[in-house]
Amino acid sequence: MALHLDIVTPEKKVFSAPVDNVYLPGADGEIGVLPAHAGLVTALKPGELRYLHNGQVVTLAVGSGFAEVTQTKVVVLTDMALGEAEIDEQTAEAAIKRAEEKLANVDHSMDAEEVAYLQGIISRSAAAIHFKRKHRG
Amino acid sequence: MANLRDIRRRIKSVKNTAQITRAMQLVAAAKMKKAQDQALAGREYAAHLTQVLFDIRRNFTEESHPLLEHRQGGRELVLVISTDKGLCGPLNTNLAKAVRAKTSPDAHFVTVGRKLRTMCEKLGKKVIADFTVKDPVPFSQTRPIAKFVTQQFLEGNYDKVSIAFTSFVNTLRQEPEVVTLLPIQGHRKGEEQAFESIGKGFSVEEHVNDPARDFTFEPNPSEVLASILPLYVNYEVFQAHVESRASEHSARMVAMKSATDNAKKFIKELTLEYNKLRQGAITAELLEITTAMKAME
């Protein structure tokens, strides 16, 4: 039984093909998914996603989002999904800096959504940098 | 019958018009490609999000989250997404017609784009807010709009929020649409296809008795719902903007292309008439000379 993996970001469909297994960065820790997994909807936190495709392990840095798991299918909806080559540390660091500056100017009690959004950018970019460094070193 | 100088002047002015419309056509064509790509790329995400929401809807009731709550009462807020500039064919007129047909007459409006805002004001509709969105559409600019309408809904100022936009079908076809944004639809059993997804071309699959769709939730159902619903609203609003933008540039490209073609045709006709007149004048002149010569003999 095959497990079909779809990774979708607002910009494009990053990946869509059958895989042997998937590891997701779930909100409560890493989740490993094999074919015939029970139905599951989970929140994702920024981190590392791995899947085994044609005998090769592929890793991607992903942002926050959701994953829907059914017996034959995994759909990952996230705001970022980048391979190692696509991550530019400087851009990511600049994004963190910008978001932190904005965060300092936002009224935390008034604008909870804005704060969450900015924190999302920070944690997502931090995850990307972490991922890049780990795979280079 | 116009004289030679008049025709020459007209040819010149039509040529100028053709040049302008042609420049606009080229600009629109360049923007169109980008906007269309953006619209098509976003559809996948919006469609998957809709599908997930649809799949998990049986696990929730109306009381699970305030964004799902159906209320009695017909106070309606309509988010209208039109264009800032004209010269894009019947796009805005069609959208205005759809808005009139599908929303309640005393609805209030939130507008994006100048064209329909001025129309709403002319018709005496109440516009409670107006936003401008850059081109190409950045997600960071549609978020405040989604936030604003969500707030209006949650504070109980309105019972229903609709969104009117132009859905992009292809370069030659754009369809005006009015869909309900809030309360988020489709979690009700028996309400078939109530789940309206922005960005057609994907249908929502129905799996009523599929045991594989009995989901567990991590960390827990209410937390998942609390973050997926606002995300859904944000993306529907974003996708509606992107679709409208793609439609706008496509419509403008087509309108300007036909304007250029018409101008060219007109130039051809005028040139023909000009040449005829010129020939006539020469013939008349020759005739005069020959007659004079004949008379002298």
Side-chain angles (χ1 to χ4, degrees):
Chain A
M1 196 152 120
L3 186 66
H4 194 93
L5 173 66
D6 282 314
I7 302 174
V8 193
T9 65
E11 286 90 34
K12 62 175 185 190
K13 191 160 201 166
V14 179
F15 183 81
S16 177
V19 293
D20 298 310
N21 63 43
V22 192
Y23 291 90
L24 307 165
D28 285 347
E30 192 170 71
I31 301 166
V33 181
L34 291 169
H37 195 283
L40 169 76
V41 173
T42 175
L44 299 179
K45 64 178 184 206
E48 187 180 306
L49 182 148
R50 268 176 295 147
Y51 57 83
L52 185 62
H53 177 57
N54 287 341
Q56 266 197 314
V57 178
V58 182
T59 40
L60 295 174
V62 295
S64 54
F66 290 90
E68 183 194 33
V69 179
T70 59
Q71 295 200 336
T72 56
K73 215 172 163 189
V74 178
V75 179
V76 176
L77 295 169
T78 171
D79 48 12
M80 177 187 86
L82 297 172
E84 200 224 327
E86 292 170 277
I87 297 172
D88 180 17
E89 262 184 64
Q90 263 128 35
T91 330
E93 268 165 14
I96 292 182
K97 201 170 257 170
R98 269 202 312 276
E100 273 171 350
E101 272 167 24
K102 270 195 210 158
L103 200 56
N105 296 327
V106 172
D107 188 345
H108 283 239
S109 56
M110 284 300 289
D111 211 339
E113 203 192 332
E114 188 71 22
V115 170
Y117 173 72
L118 291 170
Q119 278 167 348
I121 294 180
I122 294 173
S123 58
R124 162 171 24 132
S125 305
I129 293 172
H130 179 73
F131 178 82
K132 177 91 176 176
R133 290 199 177 133
K134 181 175 153 194
H135 284 262
R136 195 180 41 198
Chain B
M1 189 81 157
N3 66 29
L4 279 178
R5 196 148 33 110
D6 282 343
I7 295 184
R8 218 166 26 218
R9 213 180 277 150
R10 280 185 71 190
I11 291 178
K12 219 170 155 189
S13 95
V14 175
K15 256 187 194 155
N16 281 338
T17 314
Q19 223 159 35
I20 293 168
T21 54
R22 186 162 159 70
M24 286 186 73
Q25 177 198 334
L26 292 178
V27 170
K31 284 186 180 167
M32 176 183 88
K33 184 77 189 64
K34 260 192 215 150
Q36 284 184 1
D37 286 348
Q38 202 186 9
L40 297 179
R43 273 183 194 179
E44 192 100 28
Y45 191 87
H48 276 295
L49 199 57
T50 310
Q51 175 77 54
V52 171
L53 211 57
F54 188 74
D55 284 341
I56 63 176
R57 79 195 196 287
R58 275 171 302 128
N59 296 291
F60 302 107
T61 59
E62 267 185 40
E63 289 75 42
S64 308
H65 197 277
L67 289 177
L68 296 171
E69 185 193 346
H70 277 261
R71 302 192 200 128
Q72 299 300 317
R75 288 169 307 164
E76 190 179 2
L77 183 66
V78 186
L79 170 63
V80 183
I81 304 168
S82 69
T83 67
D84 273 329
K85 293 179 202 136
L87 293 178
C88 46
L91 201 74
N92 288 320
T93 335
N94 284 346
L95 187 62
K97 261 188 226 156
V99 169
R100 253 194 310 251
K102 288 183 187 162
T103 59
S104 64
D106 50 356
H108 290 179
F109 290 86
V110 174
T111 58
V112 175
R114 226 181 40 207
K115 284 287 154 186
L116 281 197
R117 189 188 68 218
T118 40
M119 191 213 78
C120 284
E121 279 163 2
K122 247 184 243 161
L123 291 176
K125 306 272 189 199
K126 192 172 173 201
V127 178
I128 61 164
D130 177 57
F131 292 90
T132 39
V133 174
K134 267 198 312 208
D135 189 41
V137 183
F139 184 58
S140 56
Q141 286 200 339
T142 61
R143 239 165 25 88
I145 303 170
K147 197 174 127 192
F148 177 79
V149 294
T150 311
Q151 221 166 33
Q152 293 292 326
F153 179 77
L154 288 179
E155 280 169 10
N157 297 343
Y158 298 95
D159 303 313
K160 184 182 166 193
V161 178
S162 307
I163 176 163
F165 68 105
T166 316
S167 154
F168 172 76
V169 184
N170 56 40
T171 307
L172 294 173
R173 258 187 75 204
Q174 298 88 31
E175 305 255 324
E177 275 187 53
V178 181
V179 298
T180 307
L181 183 66
L182 298 169
I184 294 168
Q185 310 266 313
H187 56 285
R188 284 180 164 176
K189 283 171 214 151
E191 233 178 33
E192 276 170 53
Q193 268 339 94
F195 222 100
E196 295 166 288
S197 171
I198 288 174
K200 290 286 146 59
F202 287 93
S203 56
V204 173
E205 293 165 44
E206 177 72 89
H207 308 267
V208 174
N209 294 318
D210 187 349
R213 305 262 159 180
D214 273 338
F215 289 106
T216 38
F217 291 90
E218 241 177 73
N220 57 56
S222 59
E223 219 163 290
V224 167
L225 200 64
S227 50
I228 203 169
L229 291 179
L231 191 74
Y232 174 78
V233 175
N234 273 337
Y235 266 97
E236 291 286 274
V237 172
F238 174 68
Q239 188 62 23
H241 277 90
V242 178
E243 296 264 335
S244 295
R245 219 33 87 85
S247 304
E248 176 190 343
H249 290 311
S250 309
R252 180 163 302 129
M253 210 277 284
V254 171
M256 286 303 113
K257 176 152 176 35
S258 67
T260 313
D261 290 350
N262 282 340
K264 280 192 179 144
K265 213 172 86 195
F266 201 46
I267 290 173
K268 235 183 193 167
E269 279 169 20
L270 281 174
T271 315
L272 189 69
E273 203 181 324
Y274 175 76
N275 285 338
K276 264 189 202 159
L277 267 179
R278 193 173 56 101
Q279 228 165 14
I282 293 169
T283 317
E285 221 168 287
L286 277 178
L287 216 63
E288 263 166 42
I289 295 169
T290 2
T291 339
M293 265 167 65
K294 285 269 184 213
M296 301 265 276
E297 274 169 17

